Amino acid sequence: QVQLLESGGGLVQAGGFLRLSCAASGIMFSFSTANWYRQAPGKQRELVAAMFSGGSRNYAESVKGRFTISRDNAKNTVYLQMNSLTPEDTAVYYCNLLKGSQNYWGQGTQVTVSS
């Protein structure tokens, strides 16, 4: 059974930072694409950052230069370092792993940025 356990969300002031973690079990993590999505109230879920098994990364334009996705395959964990946060970054953040036809989601962690 695949499980994704997210942590690190919370309340932070604008300009602050947070680091999200997503620990996976039950999946060949090192061969998976790891993604972070977010969903703000009243908005569609959007892809924030992706990291492929080979190490390449993609970012949404809105977070480039501020967010960094990384992974530790030995710990089956993917991270999202979020710097220079703004109120527009307020959302529920979801970890997502893709491996072939398998698609798994975490439960989400709330990030709230106050102005």
Side-chain angles (χ1 to χ4, degrees), residues 83-103:
N83 299 329
S84 302
L85 286 162
T86 74
E88 289 68 38
D89 296 315
T90 295
V92 178
Y93 284 71
Y94 296 91
C95 173
N96 169 253
L97 293 183
L98 296 173
K99 181 180 177 300
S101 61
Q102 301 172 68
N103 187 1

Side-chain angles (χ1 to χ4, degrees), residues 32-113:
S32 304
T33 296
N35 303 306
W36 285 98
Y37 283 79
R38 68 185 180 187
Q39 188 166 19
K43 294 187 177 181
Q44 289 189 330
R45 191 171 295 190
E46 63 171 344
L47 178 62
V48 174
M51 188 167 184
F52 302 94
S53 57
S56 59
R57 300 172 173 90
N58 285 335
Y59 296 95
E61 285 296 325
S62 59
V63 307
K64 278 184 180 178
R66 300 188 299 122
F67 290 11
T68 302
I69 187 171
S70 62
R71 62 195 293 167
D72 185 337
N73 289 336
K75 295 182 178 179
N76 285 2
T77 300
V78 59
Y79 305 96
L80 186 68
Q81 178 68 43
M82 305 185 295
N83 299 329
S84 302
L85 286 162
T86 74
E88 289 68 38
D89 296 315
T90 295
V92 178
Y93 284 71
Y94 296 91
C95 173
N96 169 253
L97 293 183
L98 296 173
K99 181 180 177 300
S101 61
Q102 301 172 68
N103 187 1
Y104 302 102
W105 292 89
Q107 80 284 358
T109 184
Q110 177 70 46
V111 171
T112 303
V113 184

Side-chain angles (χ1 to χ4, degrees), residues 25-37:
S25 60
I27 188 172
M28 294 182 71
F29 180 83
S30 62
F31 295 100
S32 304
T33 296
N35 303 306
W36 285 98
Y37 283 79

